[in-house]
């Protein structure tokens, strides 16, 4: 937790993908929660202005009064707009506006908000909208680290490759000639059975095409949909493979070594077969 | 070095020929722009000759000068014009750019009157002398991602992969010490000696001096293996490394 007077800047992490529907918001919610569980004060910002979703996944949609755009336009203060998560200590959400569009975001406005948040928080997670246009570029512009969420299929991989190019050329770090953004690959909706039958790209295929370090592989799981509908980040579901895989990814993000798991086709046990499960 | 401070030499340059068939300024510019947008680096400042010998109907001096200006404004360098030598327009001598001999026809005598009697075997063949200034190679250490485009005036050396949907271009050779999955165009200013080398050939397109080959054809020759691409007698050859 940040002590008063701690001047170290917060680490800004963008969760991005290019393609839509690959699990950016689910991953932002899970990873943000995971980092907060480790005792770091964390805020997740929803950059998807006009298609507000993060608050639903986090289960705080009824508590949204002011949003990110209100803060940029100085219609509300940060403390008015920030929503404190009820389950996880040290976790906050800055929701997007549902009634505006991406043009409401300005580089100066976003920078001011991030600087303000930097004083309070250890980690700032930017949940990027899909696409490569203004909204996505705003979300990644100030990032120190990028988590590129990819599904094991060709169009998602191609779009991730495109967004990696943008991270290298259109971010503040790239423009300032500074140390480039640290890139991580997060493979989601991985289905070992379909990989084995050749319907899906394997971890090795995707790593070969994108050539960036692998942060984690999240198996396709019913628990993800269930968690989204309940408004609970899936990482809190320690019974599910997806929840455990996200926790592994957070551990790796914090520099710990964790072996990859849930990559093999699971053989049905005797009891399961007996019950026809 | 002679006392005159210069030497006159003959030189051959590859140029683009714009053969106008019917004068419709908007159509010409629209389609030309479309072609340029496909390979902007190839056309940037490229020398071009406007040929009106195939025109069915005549063209006025005003129309012709407008055409020259418009073509120049697209970033091309108009270095001369050609017409049917048997029907040179009456305004022929008023055009601001040089009139070049018609293709395949014998070069006409040097346009400049020389002080000394010219020796009969000296023929000035071309208008522009292109000097080959060695360019330092451009070295790239990071992957070229989908949607990115890299151009080098000399050789281009890439110590990483070129992703599908990326484009690398060079006036000289291209070396890719990784997988080449995008498009690679070497010798874009017409250097037929340029080559492409890559560690793993998985390209969408390879081209040397405008002669190209697509991945379908490449897959039957060398695929996912080291290869070089070179031009032999106007046709591309893909050779395993």
């Amino acid at each position: 937790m940040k002590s008063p007077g701690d001047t170290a800047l917060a680490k800004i992490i963008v969760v991005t993908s290019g393609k839509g529907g690959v699990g950016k918001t689910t991953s932002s919610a899970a990873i943000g929660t995971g980092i907060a569980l480790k005792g770091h004060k964390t805020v997740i910002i929803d950059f998807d202005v006009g298609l507000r979703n993060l608050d639903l996944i986090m289960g705080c949609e009824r508590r949204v009064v002011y949003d990110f755009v209100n803060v940029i336009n100085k219609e509300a203060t940060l403390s008015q707009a920030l929503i404190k998560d009820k389950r996880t200590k040290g976790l906050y959400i800055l929701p997007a506006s549902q009634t505006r569009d991406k043009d409401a975001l300005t580089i100066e406005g976003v920078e001011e908000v991030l600087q303000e948040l930097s004083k309070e928080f250890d980690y700032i997670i930017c949940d990027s909208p899909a696409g490569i246009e203004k909204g996505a570029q705003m979300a990644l512009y100030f990032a120190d680290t990028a988590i590129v969420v990819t599904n094991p299929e060709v169009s998602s991989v191609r779009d991730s490759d495109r967004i990696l190019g943008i991270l290298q050329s259109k971010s503040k770090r790239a423009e300032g000639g500074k140390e480039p953004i640290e890139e991580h690959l997060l493979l989601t909706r991985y289905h070992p059975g379909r990989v084995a039958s050749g319907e899906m790209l394997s971890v090795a295929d995707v790593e070969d095409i994108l050539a960036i370090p692998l942060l984690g592989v999240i198996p396709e799981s019913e628990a993800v949909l269930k968690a989204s509908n309940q408004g609970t980040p899936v990482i809190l579901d320690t019974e599910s493979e997806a929840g455990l895989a996200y926790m592994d990814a957070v551990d790796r993000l914090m520099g710990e070594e964790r072996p990859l798991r849930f990559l093999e086709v699971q053989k049905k046990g005797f009891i399961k077969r007996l019950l026809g499960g | 070095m002679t006392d005159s401070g210069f030497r006159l030499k003959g030189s051959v340059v590859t140029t683009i020929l714009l053969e106008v068939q019917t004068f419709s300024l908007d159509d010409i510019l629209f389609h030309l722009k479309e072609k340029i947008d496909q390979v902007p680096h190839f056309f940037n400042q490229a020398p071009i000759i406007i040929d009106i010998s195939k025109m069915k109907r005549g063209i006025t001096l005003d129309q012709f000068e407008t055409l020259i200006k418009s073509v120049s404004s697209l970033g091309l360098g108009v270095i001369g014009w050609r017409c049917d030598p048997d029907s040179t327009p009456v305004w022929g001598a008023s055009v601001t750019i040089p009139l070049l001999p018609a293709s395949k026809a014998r070069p006409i005598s040097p346009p400049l009157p020389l002080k000394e009697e010219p020796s009969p075997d000296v023929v000035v063949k071309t208008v522009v002398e292109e000097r080959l200034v060695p360019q330092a190679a451009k070295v790239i250490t990071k992957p070229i991602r989908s949607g990115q485009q890299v151009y080098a005036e000399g050789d281009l050396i890439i110590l990483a992969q070129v992703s599908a949907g990326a484009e690398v271009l060079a006036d000289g050779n291209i070396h890719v010490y990784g997988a080449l999955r995008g498009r690679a165009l070497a010798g874009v200013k017409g250097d037929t000696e340029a080559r492409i080398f890559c560690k793993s050939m998985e390209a969408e397109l390879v081209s040397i001096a405008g002669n190209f080959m697509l991945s379908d054809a490449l897959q039957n020759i060398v695929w996912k293996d080291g290869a070089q691409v070179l031009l032999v007698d106007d046709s591309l050859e893909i050779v395993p490394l």
Side-chain angles (χ1 to χ4, degrees), chain A:
Chain A
M1 185 85 60
K2 215 161 223 193
S3 56
D6 185 353
T7 52
L9 289 175
K11 192 164 192 177
I12 303 176
I13 302 175
V14 62
V15 178
T16 187
S17 70
K19 196 174 187 304
V22 295
K24 282 182 297 297
T25 303
T26 299
S27 299
S28 298
I31 289 169
T33 305
I35 295 173
L37 283 173
K38 291 197 161 279
H40 305 287
K41 201 174 175 190
T42 305
V43 56
I44 314 174
I45 308 176
D46 190 349
F47 271 80
D48 205 349
V49 178
L51 293 167
R52 195 179 88 195
N53 275 169
L54 178 69
D55 51 310
L56 290 171
I57 307 279
M58 294 297 298
C60 62
E61 71 276 14
R62 298 214 185 99
R63 294 161 62 207
V64 175
V65 181
Y66 295 108
D67 58 53
F68 192 18
V69 173
N70 291 140
V71 178
I72 286 177
N73 294 345
K74 309 227 186 297
E75 294 150 3
T77 63
L78 254 180
S79 52
Q80 285 176 308
L82 282 174
I83 301 172
K84 191 173 187 306
D85 189 80
K86 282 188 172 165
R87 289 170 298 247
T88 314
K89 196 168 165 267
L91 179 63
Y92 291 78
I93 291 103
L94 183 54
S97 169
Q98 182 70 352
T99 51
R100 306 291 292 272
D101 61 32
K102 266 74 173 175
D103 292 329
L105 299 177
T106 60
I107 285 280
E108 297 76 23
V110 171
E111 184 169 32
E112 211 171 303
V113 173
L114 289 178
Q115 274 174 355
E116 194 69 27
L117 288 170
S118 224
K119 294 179 196 156
E120 289 284 321
F121 290 90
D122 302 313
Y123 285 88
I124 301 172
I125 315 287
C126 303
D127 179 22
S128 171
I132 53 170
E133 285 80 24
K134 195 180 173 188
Q137 291 190 17
M138 283 292 174
L140 65 80
Y141 188 75
F142 295 100
D144 302 305
T145 300
I147 296 175
V148 178
V149 183
T150 308
N151 288 167
E153 48 101 12
V154 283
S155 63
S156 173
V157 173
R158 171 73 67 96
D159 291 359
S160 294
D161 193 61
R162 184 87 169 89
I163 208 83
L164 283 165
I166 292 172
L167 285 165
Q168 285 162 18
S169 58
K170 293 195 175 152
S171 60
K172 192 181 179 197
R173 280 173 175 269
E175 285 175 3
K178 290 206 202 112
E179 186 95 337
I181 293 180
E182 192 184 302
E183 297 156 341
H184 297 280
L185 172 63
L186 184 67
L187 207 50
T188 56
R189 311 195 70 164
Y190 196 76
H191 197 299
R194 297 183 67 190
V195 173
S197 63
E199 291 169 50
M200 244 185 203
L201 297 174
S202 69
V203 177
D205 291 337
V206 180
E207 275 190 294
D208 182 45
I209 298 171
L210 294 180
I212 59 168
L214 185 65
L215 181 69
V217 180
I218 314 297
E220 172 84 74
S221 162
E222 283 171 20
V224 174
L225 183 65
K226 200 177 105 199
S228 297
N229 287 334
Q230 286 177 348
T232 317
V234 71
I235 199 166
L236 295 174
D237 182 357
T238 48
E239 305 281 295
S240 72
E241 289 186 350
L244 295 170
Y246 269 118
M247 205 61 232
D248 286 353
V250 171
D251 288 342
R252 290 187 200 103
L253 194 64
M254 298 290 133
E256 291 164 47
E257 295 261 338
R258 288 285 177 275
L260 288 172
R261 45 180 172 166
F262 316 123
L263 299 188
E264 302 302 322
V265 183
Q266 301 232 329
K267 291 192 182 74
K268 279 184 185 166
F270 175 70
I271 308 258
K272 262 196 171 174
R273 256 187 294 169
L274 208 66
L275 297 171

